[in-house]
Amino acid sequence: MKTIAIIATGGTIAGVGKDGKTVVYHAGEIDVNDILESIPQINEVAHLKTFQLYNVDSNEMDEEKWMGLSNMINSLVLEEDIDGIVVTHGTDCIEETSYYLTLTLNTNKPVVLTGAMRPATATSADGPFNLYQAVSLASNDSAYGKGVMVLFSNTIYSGRDVQKINNFKVDAFGQKTFGCLGYMQDEVPYFFSDTFKKHTIHSIFAGNYNSLPKVGVALFYAGASADILYHLAQSNEGIVIVGAGSGNYNEKWKEAIEDLSKKGIIFVRSSRVQEGIVFDDEVFDPHHYCISSNTLSGQKARVLLMLALKKTKDRNQIRQIFAQY
């Protein structure tokens, strides 16, 4: 059997609430080994090594914790007896962590994130089965070289494109119009597509970090003041615009973006619309001060911009990075 390292970070999968109830609970309360005791059949899939790195609600995950997790995985995958990695994580911010790992992990070994929508104390808790399937996926030869994946509710998603699309249902994730990478039937994965964006060993960002540049996110809404941008520019090297429609904003924001760009702030345009793509736009950005986020959400564009700014401050080079990643 393969040996899989399980790194626990907390989340609803380790949550505790009133027996049987699915709401009003505290995330990140149970040790990962206690969860594993509820799924003894998982020991028939792989040898397990467990690490309780954090035990927090995923809303407490931040850049420091991303770096700690990524650096730990980069160390573990160097061990010959470790064949794959599973990370248990809260669902609210799993898409940001999965993308950071997609960009920074230097390995071809399978890395799978999973979690739960129901706490461990709920009736029909979904965490144990998700964890069982995540270990099964990480143990399967077909998962090698697929990059970072998220396994949830029998479905395999890419770390780049996964997003939480429902805050209530057990089947809470999607991958925009790209579908998914594949499906699980019990312990067997079936892949039907692949990601064509650079990741893991092909990423220029693969490696360990102990600091990241600061990047803020500004949500445009009807009547939003451009003061928001000037405020963010005081403490950030870059700003991601979550615009309306195709990443759009009003004339006051356009003027502020041009002004701040001339002062060295790097801007990226994304959209608050769930589906679609953001391209360069001659009307809203005639001087190309903003970098298009492509299909990345605002929160994921922020992750990429932080890492890009670690490499370069050149706007055109960062534009190329966003086209590749």
Side-chain angles (χ1 to χ4, degrees), residues 69-260:
L69 174 60
S70 178
N71 295 350
M72 181 179 187
I73 295 174
N74 275 330
S75 177
L76 284 173
V77 293
L78 295 176
E79 299 181 16
E80 292 185 5
D81 64 333
I82 298 292
D83 299 297
I85 305 287
V86 168
V87 178
T88 60
H89 197 287
T91 61
D92 284 350
C93 297
I94 197 172
E95 57 198 80
E96 288 152 277
T97 300
S98 66
Y99 191 42
Y100 181 80
L101 296 179
T102 293
L103 297 170
T104 60
L105 293 186
N106 190 23
T107 184
N108 256 336
K109 293 180 180 180
V111 177
V112 184
L113 284 76
T114 194
M117 288 296 289
R118 295 172 178 167
T121 50
T123 300
S124 299
D126 55 324
F129 187 60
N130 284 340
L131 182 53
Y132 173 78
Q133 289 198 319
V135 169
S136 299
L137 176 59
S139 304
N140 196 283
D141 290 337
S142 65
Y144 190 87
K146 294 291 187 182
V148 175
M149 296 166 282
V150 175
L151 184 286
F152 221 90
S153 193
N154 296 297
T155 311
I156 306 166
Y157 302 100
S158 78
R160 179 191 186 273
D161 298 313
V162 66
Q163 63 179 28
K164 191 170 183 178
I165 59 173
N166 194 290
N167 63 5
F168 184 75
K169 294 181 179 180
V170 173
D171 188 9
F173 287 86
Q175 199 168 285
K176 296 192 174 182
T177 53
F178 306 127
C180 61
L181 295 183
Y183 299 97
M184 297 287 295
Q185 184 181 49
D186 292 327
E187 74 280 3
V188 182
Y190 294 89
F191 285 99
F192 297 99
S193 64
D194 206 346
T195 178
F196 294 96
K197 294 294 185 178
K198 291 185 177 181
H199 60 77
T200 54
I201 64 169
H202 305 291
S203 170
I204 61 171
F205 308 110
N208 294 341
Y209 296 84
N210 54 29
S211 67
L212 290 169
K214 288 188 176 182
V215 172
V217 178
L219 174 68
F220 177 77
Y221 52 90
S225 171
D227 291 345
I228 296 169
L229 303 180
Y230 285 100
H231 176 74
L232 286 173
Q234 294 176 14
S235 57
N236 293 280
E237 295 182 38
I239 298 174
V240 176
I241 304 293
V242 181
S246 297
N248 304 333
Y249 36 79
N250 62 25
E251 286 296 320
K252 291 182 179 179
W253 274 45
K254 176 181 175 182
E255 293 170 2
I257 289 169
E258 292 180 359
D259 180 36
L260 291 169

Side-chain angles (χ1 to χ4, degrees), residues 257-258 260-267 285 287-291 309 312-322:
I257 289 169
E258 292 180 359
L260 291 169
S261 293
K262 293 174 182 177
K263 297 176 181 178
I265 301 297
I266 302 297
F267 283 91
D285 186 27
H287 301 293
H288 302 289
Y289 288 122
C290 284
I291 297 161
L309 287 169
T312 179
K313 303 296 191 293
D314 183 273
R315 186 177 290 108
N316 289 328
Q317 290 182 24
I318 296 175
R319 195 184 307 277
Q320 289 300 314
I321 286 172
F322 268 80

